[in-house]
Amino acid sequence: MTPARRSIPFSITMLTLIALIVVPLASVLLWLGWRSVTFLEQRSADQRVANLETAVEDFLTDGLHVVISVGQALAFGPSFNVTENPLTDEERRHQLIAMLRRHPAVQAAFVGYADGSFIYAGQLETLSIAKRLELDAPDGESTIVRVIEAGTPPRLETWWFYAPDGTHGRSQSLTTNYDPRTRPWYVEATKAGAAILTEPYRFAQTPDAGISAGIPLRDGKGVIGFDFTLRTLSQLLTAYKITANSVIVVGHAAGAVEIESEPCAPTLPGCLPGDEVVRKILHDAVREAVATDIKIDREVTAGDHDYRVIVHRMAPLLGQRFIVAAAVPVRELTAQSRELLQRAAIAAAVAVLLAILGALAASLIVSRSIARIALKTERIRQLDFSDRQPVRSRIREIVRLSDAVENMREGLEIFGRYVSKDLVQQIMRSPESSGVGGTRREITVMFTDIEGFSLLSETMEPELLTSRLSRYFEALGSAISANRGMIDKYIGDSIMAFWNAPATDPEHIANACRGALQAAAAGRALSEKWRDRGRPGFRTRFGLHTGPAVVGNVGARERINYTLVGQVANQASRLEGMNKVYGTEILASGEIARPTSELFVWRHIDRVVAVGTTEAHDVYEPLGEIATEAEHAPFLAAWEAARAAYVDGRFDAALGGFRAAAAMREEDAACRVFIARCEKFLKDGAPAGWDGTWYMDQK
């Protein structure tokens, strides 16, 4: 007898190992954290201030340099160095508008010439509300364009509002004394002969702070200018606040503070009082840094709280220099570290408890993962592929098992696009039914075809045609499947579908009619969308018939196809083709229309003998669900009266009736067909033995 092996429960083993690791590690980390707290506080503050300086400097240098570089390219290009060509003038407007849309920080772009002429493009928000009302500015997104003629003031100024698509409304004209040649951006750029920046200032039309840039034209007879908004910089400062109560400002070398971070909301807990005092200290520090040209890093007291004040001068940019200053409460600098240490202590205290819980939960996690995989496998067996979330686990074997199940799900899901789920489920329930053979039952069949598809295929690239057909089949297939239909096959541009197999459906005729109406509506909606985009649409013809057929597996033992065999499919195909004769969209046999007369509105189109057959069949067109009967009643009354006269051989009365029906629906092609027949019979006489049956001479 084999002696029993000594063993330790898995949970006890996990608990011991985790405790041996977590307890010493937590103690060491807590000790190291306590030792390094002061150093980390200092480094953290310095790093965040450095990040702030870099972000502001990148915004001011890179952002402005990009725009000014584009402005220099425009200043040296041919468009802005010509003043008389009106086509060139329109091109300059569009170039200025494009400049605004590519660079949101640019509030306005303009060009002034030595003769006093001026072209301006600006954001809509540069106008005050009163000015917008005065000029009847549009409500949507638009760009202001102003053009001032050359000469001495007062001069004619013309306004337009350009839409995003490049069009503009009517022009508006007024007189103005504005002269670009007197503006600082024009005067300074002309004097320097190179790109310049003005000092920051508040724009006239909006409360935003900004800077104007000027770039002389190549021929020296004008200057291109830009207004830069610094509103984005204010948001940047607020995002880079080191702590909730810290204050950050950006000043100019002249000593003025231009941009400030937003203060914390007084209603928030922890918001310190005395924000105005701190901002005044920072303003003074900016002026001190301008005067002494040194970096400031000191601690000050304001409102019973200690602050660390840091001021740094940035590198010059096109003759202008900016100063970044920050004031951070010292208590907030250390608060995060103290909180971190407290949390570390708590974490160390509960680490052992977590280890115990983790060890006990490990076995549950493993068993739960396996149970989830088992549930997913059962869903896949039921052909339910909706659960796409793989089982997550840190255990390699479970991960491999989960990956294998996911690969199986993906493969079966792809395969399921080729085979009906109802058919597969029936075979799984009765594996013996997968052999070759079938059963006889009543089947409703639908055939569809795209009108003029051959011509479309000759004028369209195969890849585009394939993509369009896929979307088309998806739209029609969804309507068919939603009404319990089974798509048997796609034949080029055609679809063959049937109802009442493989699962029986007592309402298969009504479901087929409803599926045809919804598929036709889906096809029309898709074609309308394509036509709106300038692409040709598809017009689909449908044929519906019901009758006995053998449905089942057809083919060889190695490869079979579930389909039907019987005359019902041929008759549905003939009905689809008859749509070409009558100009209709859907045609159904009397075997379809009669049992569903209380569910749908039917129009009796004709009684016909198809090519290659001798039996006469009644042909009907579904006009809609029975709820729409009142909508079609006047038209159907006129039509039925005309058809009765037509069948009786009273072609004068029939002609008048069909014309009356056509007057109600001018687009109805079937009315025109019967009008032409009546006119021919009145001229040549009715065929011998006339009983109202029409013999088709084409498929």
Side-chain angles (χ1 to χ4, degrees):
M1 181 177 179
T2 304
R5 295 181 179 179
R6 292 185 178 182
S7 61
I8 301 175
F10 177 72
S11 57
I12 300 299
T13 303
M14 291 292 296
L15 173 62
T16 304
L17 290 175
I18 293 177
L20 290 174
I21 295 173
V22 171
V23 172
L25 181 61
S27 301
V28 171
L29 290 178
L30 185 62
W31 177 75
L32 290 176
W34 192 270
R35 287 285 305 271
S36 59
V37 61
T38 304
F39 175 75
L40 291 178
E41 289 171 358
Q42 183 72 27
R43 285 287 301 273
S44 175
D46 292 343
Q47 184 63 43
R48 298 190 69 174
V49 171
N51 290 342
L52 172 65
E53 294 175 359
T54 302
V56 173
E57 187 168 359
D58 289 346
F59 176 85
L60 291 174
T61 57
D62 294 349
L64 294 183
H65 273 309
V66 169
V67 175
I68 290 175
S69 296
V70 175
Q72 289 173 332
L74 296 177
F76 279 84
S79 298
F80 286 89
N81 287 278
V82 177
T83 59
E84 298 179 356
N85 189 335
L87 294 177
T88 304
D89 183 59
E90 182 66 23
E91 180 182 352
R92 285 180 294 205
R93 297 183 209 170
H94 285 289
Q95 289 188 25
L96 294 178
I97 294 173
M99 179 72 181
L100 293 181
R101 292 176 180 166
R102 285 195 300 267
H103 302 282
V106 179
Q107 195 167 40
F110 39 83
V111 58
Y113 289 96
D115 59 3
S117 58
F118 183 63
I119 303 174
Y120 172 93
Q123 307 287 1
L124 185 61
E125 62 262 22
T126 59
L127 290 181
S128 64
I129 299 299
K131 194 66 174 180
R132 296 186 199 179
L133 294 175
E134 177 186 347
L135 296 174
D136 192 22
D139 294 332
E141 181 182 353
S142 60
T143 303
I144 312 160
V145 174
R146 301 165 48 202
V147 174
I148 301 177
E149 297 180 353
T152 58
R155 292 173 294 167
L156 183 64
E157 179 181 24
T158 307
W159 292 67
W160 295 270
F161 291 97
Y162 276 70
D165 60 1
T167 60
H168 60 78
R170 62 182 180 84
S171 62
Q172 304 179 59
S173 298
L174 47 85
T175 59
T176 181
N177 290 320
Y178 180 84
D179 190 340
R181 296 168 295 185
T182 64
R183 307 305 297 168
W185 54 269
Y186 188 100
V187 174
E188 294 178 18
T190 302
K191 183 186 301 183
I196 60 91
L197 284 179
T198 65
E199 294 184 3
Y201 64 97
R202 297 287 177 181
F203 291 146
Q205 300 292 342
T206 68
D208 292 334
I211 302 172
S212 292
I215 302 100
L217 296 179
R218 179 189 59 197
D219 57 9
K221 296 181 179 180
V223 175
I224 289 181
F226 304 102
D227 286 343
F228 298 95
T229 176
L230 298 183
R231 177 180 49 206
T232 306
L233 182 57
S234 177
Q235 298 170 352
L236 182 68
L237 296 184
T238 302
Y240 271 88
K241 287 177 64 172
I242 299 174
T243 65
N245 287 280
S246 61
V247 180
I248 303 174
V249 302
V250 174
H252 185 256
V257 173
E258 304 300 339
I259 303 296
E260 301 184 9
S261 61
E262 298 177 359
C264 69
T267 56
L268 292 177
C271 184
L272 300 178
D275 182 79
E276 300 81 1
V277 177
V278 177
R279 293 177 186 272
K280 183 178 183 304
I281 292 174
L282 274 184
H283 291 198
D284 295 338
V286 168
R287 285 190 288 270
E288 180 183 349
V290 170
T292 60
D293 196 19
I294 61 173
K295 180 177 180 179
I296 298 175
D297 188 346
R298 64 169 73 109
E299 289 191 8
V300 299
T301 301
D304 298 329
H305 295 285
D306 294 331
Y307 287 82
R308 181 182 175 189
V309 175
I310 305 171
V311 183
H312 175 65
R313 293 170 61 94
M314 294 172 51
L317 174 63
L318 294 179
Q320 303 297 334
R321 195 162 189 178
F322 296 89
I323 295 94
V324 179
V328 188
V330 174
R331 59 174 290 185
E332 290 186 350
L333 280 176
T334 60
Q336 188 173 7
S337 299
R338 289 197 304 269
E339 183 179 0
L340 181 61
L341 288 174
Q342 291 173 358
R343 291 180 179 180
I346 295 174
V350 301
V352 176
L353 177 61
L354 292 177
I356 294 172
L357 295 176
L360 294 176
S363 58
L364 296 177
I365 293 174
V366 173
S367 61
R368 188 172 301 171
S369 299
I370 295 176
R372 171 84 187 280
I373 292 175
L375 178 60
K376 179 186 283 282
T377 306
E378 178 62 23
R379 286 183 176 178
I380 293 174
R381 194 185 73 84
Q382 299 294 332
L383 304 182
D384 179 3
F385 308 115
S386 59
D387 186 0
R388 300 175 180 274
Q389 186 66 32
V391 176
R392 305 294 183 185
S393 177
R394 296 295 182 182
I395 301 174
R396 179 180 301 175
E397 287 74 10
I398 292 180
V399 171
R400 292 178 61 184
L401 178 60
S402 176
D403 291 342
V405 171
E406 286 302 306
N407 292 334
M408 178 180 67
R409 181 191 60 77
E410 292 173 359
L412 290 175
E413 185 175 15
I414 294 173
F415 180 73
R417 300 175 186 173
Y418 295 86
V419 183
S420 167
K421 285 187 177 181
D422 293 339
L423 176 60
V424 175
Q425 289 172 345
Q426 176 176 304
I427 293 173
M428 293 175 66
R429 287 193 298 267
S430 304
E432 65 277 3
S433 65
S434 61
V436 176
T439 58
R440 183 182 179 88
R441 67 172 63 171
E442 193 80 9
I443 298 294
T444 301
V445 180
M446 180 175 75
F447 261 91
T448 76
D449 189 57
I450 298 175
E451 184 180 278
F453 182 78
S454 297
L455 179 60
L456 281 173
S457 63
E458 293 174 0
T459 59
M460 195 178 298
E461 292 294 329
E463 293 82 3
L464 178 59
L465 182 62
T466 301
S467 175
R468 297 275 297 280
L469 273 178
S470 297
R471 293 191 60 191
Y472 166 80
F473 285 146
E474 182 179 355
L476 270 64
S478 297
I480 293 170
S481 299
N483 289 279
R484 303 189 64 180
M486 174 178 170
I487 297 177
D488 181 71
K489 59 178 68 73
Y490 298 104
I491 312 169
D493 61 309
S494 303
I495 300 175
M496 176 183 172
F498 56 81
W499 280 257
N500 203 29
T504 57
D505 179 9
E507 305 295 328
H508 60 94
I509 298 179
N511 285 332
C513 296
R514 196 167 288 111
L517 289 170
Q518 293 178 11
R524 288 193 298 271
L526 183 60
S527 295
E528 187 66 26
K529 182 187 298 184
W530 285 339
R531 292 189 185 98
D532 290 342
R533 299 176 180 177
R535 304 172 183 171
F538 294 162
R539 187 177 188 273
T540 310
R541 298 187 295 258
F542 298 80
L544 287 171
H545 184 56
T546 188
V550 175
V551 60
N553 299 318
V554 177
R557 297 179 64 86
E558 294 79 11
R559 183 179 178 87
I560 59 177
N561 181 34
Y562 188 86
T563 186
L564 62 87
V565 177
Q567 184 62 24
V568 62
N570 297 333
Q571 186 62 21
S573 178
R574 293 190 188 101
L575 287 166
E576 177 274 313
M578 290 180 191
N579 285 287
K580 293 184 284 187
V581 176
Y582 298 101
T584 50
E585 188 175 28
I586 306 174
L587 286 179
S589 63
E591 289 80 359
I592 292 285
R594 283 188 287 272
T596 59
S597 59
E598 296 182 357
L599 300 175
F600 301 95
V601 180
W602 293 98
R603 173 166 62 151
H604 188 185
I605 293 291
D606 206 354
R607 184 171 179 79
V608 301
V609 176
V611 176
T613 66
T614 58
E615 185 178 358
H617 290 275
D618 289 310
V619 179
Y620 291 81
E621 178 190 17
L623 300 181
E625 300 271 358
I626 196 66
T628 64
E629 184 177 20
E631 174 187 341
H632 304 288
F635 173 76
L636 285 177
W639 173 270
E640 294 297 340
R643 260 202 55 79
Y646 170 81
V647 173
D648 293 341
R650 295 179 287 110
F651 298 114
D652 278 331
L655 180 61
F658 285 126
R659 285 175 174 170
M664 297 181 190
R665 297 186 179 181
E666 297 179 357
E667 76 284 356
D668 190 79
C671 288
R672 295 194 293 270
V673 171
F674 280 90
I675 288 172
R677 287 185 188 176
C678 291
E679 290 175 344
K680 184 177 185 303
F681 291 160
L682 288 172
K683 178 181 178 181
D684 301 335
W690 173 255
D691 61 354
T693 302
W694 183 261
Y695 291 82
M696 290 286 181
D697 56 2
Q698 62 178 4
K699 291 186 178 181

